Amino acid sequence: MCDGQSGFNVIYADPAKQYALSSGFSMVHTGLEVPVGKSDVDVKCTIKQDFQLWLLFPHMHEWGTRFKATRTRAGKSDVLFDTDWNEGFIFHPPETYWKLDDAPFFKKDDEIKFTCSFNNTTGQKMFFGKEMCVLSAQYADYKKDGNIFCDNGTYGTF
């Protein structure tokens, strides 16, 4: 187990300016089961709407060993993340940022697939919560859709 701390920087917005709302989009597998030993878990989501992302980051806990995510559009795949996991990423994961004037990063019908690799040394099967396999994003929410999740292909809001 690692010790850590987290914090936030608060920057006050100019009330005279107009801003886009930011909402979350999380791709997750809440039915996650991690057997004892080394294993991989695959998660897939087909994007249901365009998302103008400004931030994308993976999340696992201390038994994660590797995170790989790809986006497939029109038969062409791009690697979003392919990184060895370390405990420091639990509170400060690798991140990717975009400017809001860029084209939507996730487009309707894109397929997102990510694989979380684990080494479960607890001696017992772990379930979602104790360990996780998540790809999270923040997006410019111009239509005020709110926070959206894709739970291994099933969509909802939170």
Side-chain angles (χ1 to χ4, degrees):
M1 179 103 31
C2 70
D3 293 328
Q5 72 182 45
S6 60
F8 291 92
N9 292 326
V10 176
I11 301 169
Y12 292 96
D14 181 346
K17 291 184 179 178
Q18 198 168 27
Y19 297 91
L21 293 174
S22 178
S23 291
F25 175 50
S26 289
M27 293 160 279
V28 62
H29 183 22
T30 59
L32 178 73
E33 294 184 15
V34 180
V36 173
K38 294 181 180 182
S39 65
D40 293 331
V41 173
D42 292 325
V43 180
K44 290 183 185 178
C45 289
T46 301
I47 302 300
K48 301 289 184 193
Q49 68 187 60
D50 288 357
F51 285 101
Q52 187 117 9
L53 302 187
W54 63 268
L55 171 64
L56 183 68
F57 59 94
H59 178 73
M60 293 191 296
H61 291 170
E62 64 195 85
W63 293 276
T65 59
R66 186 164 198 76
F67 188 97
K68 182 174 183 179
T70 58
R71 173 189 63 187
T72 302
R73 177 180 297 154
K76 183 180 181 234
S77 293
D78 298 303
V79 175
L80 305 176
F81 288 99
D82 188 1
T83 187
D84 289 330
W85 199 256
N86 72 62
E87 287 187 34
F89 291 162
I90 295 169
F91 291 104
H92 188 69
E95 304 166 324
T96 303
Y97 291 89
W98 293 271
K99 293 180 182 178
L100 287 182
D101 56 356
D102 293 339
F105 189 76
F106 287 163
K107 292 189 176 190
K108 186 176 188 291
D109 298 325
D110 284 355
E111 182 179 281
I112 308 304
K113 177 185 175 194
F114 53 102
T115 301
C116 295
S117 299
F118 299 101
N119 186 15
N120 177 358
T121 58
T122 66
Q124 56 191 325
K125 186 186 291 188
M126 290 187 296
F127 299 93
F128 181 79
K130 178 103 175 154
E131 187 53 86
M132 293 185 173
C133 181
V134 181
L135 182 60
S136 289
Q138 289 290 308
Y139 72 99
D141 191 0
Y142 300 115
K143 297 187 287 180
K144 299 182 181 177
D145 290 325
N147 296 315
I148 299 170
F149 70 83
C150 174
D151 187 348
N152 205 27
T154 301
Y155 274 78
T157 59
F158 65 99

